[in-house]
Amino acid sequence: MRLYWNYFLINLKSQMQYKASFFLTITGQFLTAFASFFGIQFLFQRISGVDNFTYGQVLLCFSVIMMSFSIGEMIGGGLMGFPGLLRSGSLDRVLVRPRSIIWQVIMPNMDFSRLGLLVQAAVVLFIAIPASGVAWTLNKALVLALMITCGSAVFFCLFLLVASVAFFTIQSLDFLNILTYGMREFGKYPFSVYGNTVLRILTFAVPLALIQYYPLLYLLDREKGIWYMAAPLEALLFLIPSSLFFRFGLKRYQSAGS
């Protein structure tokens, strides 16, 4: 762990070499992210609810997804450059080191400018908590924390899946961004608004509904079952197929040479 911690510190120090640029980038991320927030606000000036969810409840969904995405992207966003490692042969150097391949790729490439998006999501969450109408208890606070942490893991898995496809295509496929940035946009509203078919896909294929829609029902006292309370933990099972697909691609990797 000391090695990975050193990776983390070196990357952070390198990004902060030009402090003005670093903090201006964070500020830009913070301000531009409010475009989605204002979009929701303008929508609810015309309507009173979306699929029986109020303005405050939609904000709660929005903030959970944005916080989860910002953490997942800050950690796993470096995987977007994975096809470049394959084309240049730089992955060969990673493979000969006796350390985790994934951690060697992501630790030097963490994007700390995403802290701006994280702060913006935290501000919206601060607004949404009292506006959502949730009768908060210790259990519900724990569920909210699980929604964010497990959601971060799910988004990281999505970045890992997109990177793993490069083992077979070498080039990056831009349309796969619908699994990462696209899902962030879909998550601005409760997933039930997109219909039952999409809700099933986001439950059993890409388990984002497990960290947003189902635990939200528990928070709002619309469902009482333990399944709804523990839904974010069930979403962590997505780590298994994601890591297996990465290993499957790695076994079929052929060096790009020099």
Side-chain angles (χ1 to χ4, degrees):
M1 289 302 297
R2 178 178 295 181
L3 174 64
Y4 300 132
W5 178 248
N6 288 336
Y7 263 136
F8 176 87
L9 291 178
I10 291 171
N11 187 22
L12 178 61
K13 290 177 180 177
S14 66
Q15 292 186 38
M16 293 188 66
Q17 282 297 308
Y18 299 96
K19 292 182 175 58
S21 176
F22 178 75
F23 287 109
L24 284 174
T25 302
I26 290 179
T27 302
Q29 291 277 349
F30 175 79
L31 294 176
T32 55
F34 273 103
S36 296
F37 169 75
F38 290 131
I40 295 174
Q41 191 173 40
F42 293 150
L43 175 65
F44 275 89
Q45 289 177 355
R46 300 290 185 270
I47 61 176
S48 59
V50 174
D51 196 28
N52 295 320
F53 291 97
T54 66
Y55 171 67
Q57 293 161 3
V58 169
L59 279 189
L60 188 60
C61 285
F62 171 77
S63 59
V64 166
I65 288 294
M66 294 298 283
M67 289 190 76
S68 300
F69 178 83
S70 61
I71 297 172
E73 187 188 24
M74 185 170 63
I75 297 173
L79 290 168
M80 298 300 289
F82 194 72
L85 292 178
L86 297 178
R87 292 193 300 271
S88 66
S90 299
L91 184 63
D92 297 357
R93 185 170 62 251
V94 174
L95 291 173
V96 299
R97 296 170 181 163
R99 289 293 186 273
S100 168
I101 297 169
I102 294 176
W103 284 104
Q104 287 188 69
V105 173
I106 65 176
M107 292 304 290
N109 296 294
M110 291 180 64
D111 186 0
F112 294 101
S113 68
R114 296 305 178 187
L115 289 172
L117 182 60
L118 179 61
V119 172
Q120 183 266 354
V123 170
V124 176
L125 181 63
F126 181 78
I127 298 171
I129 285 176
S132 62
V134 174
W136 292 101
T137 63
L138 181 60
N139 284 343
K140 290 182 178 180
L142 176 61
V143 170
L144 179 61
L146 288 175
M147 291 167 70
I148 296 170
T149 54
C150 297
S152 303
V154 171
F155 273 110
F156 172 81
C157 289
L158 291 176
F159 280 105
L160 181 61
L161 282 174
V162 172
S164 301
V165 172
F167 283 120
F168 309 97
T169 63
I170 305 301
Q171 298 290 334
S172 59
L173 301 178
D174 290 340
F175 76 90
L176 290 176
N177 287 337
I178 193 174
L179 293 175
T180 51
Y181 301 99
M183 289 300 177
R184 179 190 67 181
E185 295 303 311
F186 281 141
K188 291 191 297 185
Y189 302 96
F191 287 124
S192 61
V193 305
Y194 303 111
N196 290 330
T197 300
V198 173
L199 184 59
R200 291 190 190 99
I201 292 173
L202 296 176
T203 300
F204 300 107
V206 182
L208 284 171
L210 295 179
I211 58 96
Q212 188 239 53
Y213 176 67
Y214 297 110
L216 178 66
L217 297 181
Y218 174 81
L219 294 181
L220 297 175
D221 294 318
R222 298 185 186 180
E223 298 289 347
K224 297 288 188 179
I226 188 66
W227 187 88
Y228 291 88
M229 182 180 180
L233 293 175
E234 296 163 16
L236 294 179
L237 293 174
F238 194 50
L239 289 164
I240 298 174
S242 301
S243 59
L244 288 178
F245 184 63
F246 181 83
R247 291 178 181 275
F248 176 75
L250 186 61
K251 288 181 180 179
R252 282 152 182 77
Y253 169 69
Q254 294 180 346
S255 174
S258 59

